[in-house]
Amino acid sequence: MHLAYPAVLAALLFCTGLYGVLARRNAILVLMSVELMLNAVNLNLVAFDVWLRDTLHAGQALTLFVIAIAAAEIGIGLAIVLMVYRNRGTSDIDRLRDTAEGPGSPGSPGGAGPEATDAAPAQKAEATA
């Protein structure tokens, strides 16, 4: 078997996963796209292992490690997504980004800039006096 067939298939799978990560807004679909990218890497590892006729089968052994790490990643990632969905009511990535940047945080749109954060302690001192 030629090496080009699995390599092209892996490239197509990886590009499909990359498109899913960049274009999707649902966190679960993004996790599925990451899994698709990892499976493309696994396909390349096994294909090159067979093509090089490695006696230790290092590509296949590394593939097993990648599968184990991917299973742990999807388990933890899905738990985080479910927790956020319960708290927020959505798994939209754009709304999750709003979680990190509150309405008054520096650098956020409509938030207080560096000038306003320097004046904030002085305003609090005036309000308490």
Side-chain angles (χ1 to χ4, degrees):
M1 180 170 82
H2 295 287
L3 184 62
Y5 298 131
V8 168
L9 179 63
L12 290 173
L13 282 174
F14 193 85
C15 289
T16 304
L18 186 64
Y19 173 75
V21 167
L22 295 176
R24 298 291 180 186
R25 294 292 160 231
N26 190 347
I28 295 175
L29 291 177
V30 169
L31 286 174
M32 289 174 59
S33 297
V34 169
E35 289 293 321
L36 196 61
M37 292 167 64
L38 287 173
N39 285 331
V41 171
N42 286 339
L43 182 61
N44 268 335
L45 284 171
V46 172
F48 276 98
D49 182 51
V50 170
W51 184 64
L52 293 173
R53 295 188 179 116
D54 187 17
T55 56
L56 296 176
H57 298 294
Q60 293 177 20
L62 190 57
T63 297
L64 289 175
F65 285 116
V66 171
I67 289 171
I69 291 171
E73 173 258 335
I74 198 69
I76 293 172
L78 191 58
I80 291 171
V81 168
L82 286 174
M83 184 187 66
V84 168
Y85 181 76
R86 285 183 185 168
N87 290 336
R88 290 282 185 177
T90 184
S91 62
D92 188 18
I93 292 178
D94 290 334
R95 293 194 183 178
L96 294 180
R97 204 170 294 141
D98 294 339
T99 306
E101 301 171 1
S105 66
S108 65
E115 305 84 25
T117 56
D118 294 337
Q123 289 175 354
K124 286 181 184 177
E126 281 184 51
T128 57

